[in-house]
Amino acid sequence: MKLLEDRIRRDGNILGEHILKVDSFLTHQVDYQLMRDMGQVLADKYRAAGITKVVTIEASGIAPAIYVAEALDVPMIFAKKHKNITMTEGILTAEVYSFTKQVTSTVSIAGKFLDNNDKVLIIDDFLANGQAAKGLIDIIEQAGSTVVGVGIVIEKSFQDGRQLIEEMGVAVTSLARIESFAGGQLHFAPADA
Amino acid sequence: MKLLEDRIRRDGNILGEHILKVDSFLTHQVDYQLMRDMGQVLADKYRAAGITKVVTIEASGIAPAIYVAEALDVPMIFAKKHKNITMTEGILTAEVYSFTKQVTSTVSIAGKFLDNNDKVLIIDDFLANGQAAKGLIDIIEQAGSTVVGVGIVIEKSFQDGRQLIEEMGVAVTSLARIESFAGGQLHFAPADA
């Protein structure tokens, strides 16, 4: 998605060898118009598949995911990373290790929101090592639902997350794919949409 | 907002004396259409005030806040509850105690996204004791910005959050105001919009 690649080039900050900071439009301050445009593109890609639910993980996935859900006219569910005293029963969980934050979280979704008729599109802001997406796929499959695809805003193509997800038999659609940060310069691989 | 009160009556679950669970449309599974309608109502209330930024706190505030931001055509910023290695400098913080989760969190916003020309509308899903909203007001005022108002989806009017915020000189607009859960029955006070 050229609009997104241009925005990353303009406003993204490369920190070290593996971290791209996009806090001015995606992960902290959020540009609703870009989210809306991205939601439309991801929804169009999966419109024929009969998606019934969009699933993401708090917190940076929520804004792009709600616009995908709107464009497909389905509910959005955001998985929780932290325990909450109002989540009491029928909780499906997976352990997810975050290399960025260097912690393992128990990611959870209430089972009552998914059943074996659901066709789910997962949306997330980043795909790097794929651990978050893998955890969501595990949870959704525990519920008996089908994961139709994973829609990603920014893929770090030099890490192995895409391969991991594709080997699970799930399609990946990334709006921007970063091949390398070599010498502080962004190099994009051809995007999926 | 009658549409919201009806939805709370239909789909809300009362747990104990103080907890209302609205995980089927707001805090876990999210109904984008309701979020869009609420965003419009809150934006209309503050349209004349020249709002330049919408600020919320992760995670359940993000979906309502992004639609308020869209309706006002301004950026949305979500404050972080957890430290992140990509947030390095110029971070404004406040300590917030959550009675629900029984933990104190350091809530933070990168100072570069707010300045003394900003007029800010805070949006959050719940107002109970007002600690989260108070923390956000503290941070926004540290940045030299003006807090014009606090827009809330569900206010627990039997707790003292509204009074706390109003005593700070900030207007509160709540779309649904719960007066009591007496005997497991919801009683609403007149809403602000």
Side-chain angles (χ1 to χ4, degrees):
Chain A
M1 188 181 179
K2 184 167 183 309
L3 186 73
L4 174 63
E5 291 174 354
D6 290 346
R7 187 63 172 272
I8 295 168
R9 283 191 198 280
R10 196 185 79 189
D11 292 335
N13 285 306
I14 298 169
L15 299 181
E17 285 188 29
H18 289 97
I19 296 174
L20 172 68
K21 199 168 164 179
V22 287
D23 62 348
S24 67
F25 62 91
L26 179 61
T27 60
H28 187 20
Q29 181 171 257
V30 181
D31 177 342
Y32 78 83
Q33 184 62 58
L34 180 64
M35 299 302 116
R36 166 164 289 282
D37 293 343
M38 295 191 314
Q40 202 66 55
V41 171
L42 287 169
D44 286 348
K45 195 86 182 176
Y46 288 93
R47 194 173 302 280
I51 302 296
T52 61
K53 298 272 167 66
V54 168
V55 169
T56 188
I57 186 165
E58 60 183 4
S60 300
I62 294 174
I66 194 77
Y67 283 111
V68 176
E70 179 175 344
L72 292 170
D73 192 19
V74 299
M76 182 273 279
I77 299 164
F78 61 94
K80 308 274 186 168
K81 281 182 192 164
H82 307 278
K83 287 191 164 56
N84 184 308
I85 59 170
T86 69
M87 284 183 80
T88 44
E89 47 189 323
I91 304 303
L92 307 174
T93 64
E95 299 292 305
V96 173
Y97 180 73
S98 165
F99 288 91
T100 316
K101 298 187 178 173
Q102 298 170 8
V103 292
T104 297
S105 314
T106 302
V107 171
S108 58
I109 293 179
K112 63 182 175 181
F113 296 126
L114 292 169
D115 67 29
N116 55 16
N117 293 312
D118 277 314
K119 293 183 177 181
V120 177
L121 175 58
I122 293 171
I123 298 293
D124 209 358
D125 56 337
F126 275 95
L127 177 65
N129 51 68
Q131 296 304 300
K134 178 175 178 295
L136 291 177
I137 293 170
D138 287 346
I139 291 173
I140 294 161
E141 292 183 344
Q142 284 173 48
S145 307
T146 303
V147 180
V148 175
V150 174
I152 295 294
V153 179
I154 302 174
E155 175 189 316
K156 293 176 175 171
S157 306
F158 52 86
Q159 291 184 253
D160 56 5
R162 187 189 186 96
Q163 187 182 348
L164 178 73
I165 303 307
E166 288 180 342
E167 282 173 1
M168 294 176 82
V170 175
V172 176
T173 301
S174 299
L175 297 179
R177 302 180 64 210
I178 296 173
E179 209 162 50
S180 82
F181 295 162
Q185 288 291 309
L186 282 166
H187 297 273
F188 289 102
D192 301 309
Chain B
M1 188 182 180
K2 184 164 185 309
L3 185 73
L4 174 63
E5 290 174 355
D6 291 346
R7 186 64 173 271
I8 295 169
R9 283 192 197 282
R10 195 184 80 188
D11 293 335
N13 286 306
I14 298 169
L15 300 182
E17 286 189 27
H18 291 95
I19 295 174
L20 171 68
K21 198 168 164 179
V22 288
D23 62 349
S24 67
F25 62 91
L26 179 61
T27 60
H28 188 19
Q29 182 171 256
V30 182
D31 177 342
Y32 78 83
Q33 185 62 57
L34 180 63
M35 299 302 117
R36 165 164 290 282
D37 293 344
M38 297 191 311
Q40 201 66 53
V41 171
L42 287 169
D44 286 349
K45 197 85 181 176
Y46 288 93
R47 194 173 302 280
I51 302 295
T52 60
K53 298 272 165 68
V54 169
V55 168
T56 189
I57 185 166
E58 60 182 3
S60 300
I62 294 174
I66 194 78
Y67 283 111
V68 176
E70 178 175 345
L72 292 170
D73 191 20
V74 299
M76 182 272 280
I77 298 164
F78 62 95
K80 308 274 184 166
K81 281 182 191 161
H82 306 279
K83 287 192 164 55
N84 184 307
I85 59 168
T86 70
M87 284 183 79
T88 44
E89 47 189 320
I91 302 304
L92 306 174
T93 64
E95 299 292 304
V96 173
Y97 180 73
S98 166
F99 289 90
T100 317
K101 297 187 180 174
Q102 298 169 9
V103 291
T104 298
S105 314
T106 301
V107 171
S108 58
I109 293 180
K112 64 182 175 180
F113 296 126
L114 292 169
D115 66 30
N116 56 15
N117 294 311
D118 277 313
K119 294 183 178 181
V120 176
L121 175 58
I122 293 171
I123 298 293
D124 208 358
D125 56 337
F126 274 94
L127 176 66
N129 51 67
Q131 296 305 301
K134 179 176 178 294
L136 291 176
I137 292 170
D138 287 347
I139 291 173
I140 294 162
E141 292 184 343
Q142 284 174 48
S145 307
T146 304
V147 179
V148 175
V150 174
I152 295 293
V153 178
I154 301 174
E155 175 188 316
K156 293 176 175 172
S157 306
F158 52 86
Q159 292 186 252
D160 56 5
R162 187 190 187 96
Q163 188 182 346
L164 178 74
I165 304 307
E166 287 179 342
E167 283 174 1
M168 294 176 82
V170 175
V172 176
T173 301
S174 300
L175 297 179
R177 302 181 63 212
I178 297 173
E179 208 161 50
S180 82
F181 297 162
Q185 288 291 309
L186 282 166
H187 297 274
F188 290 102
D192 302 309

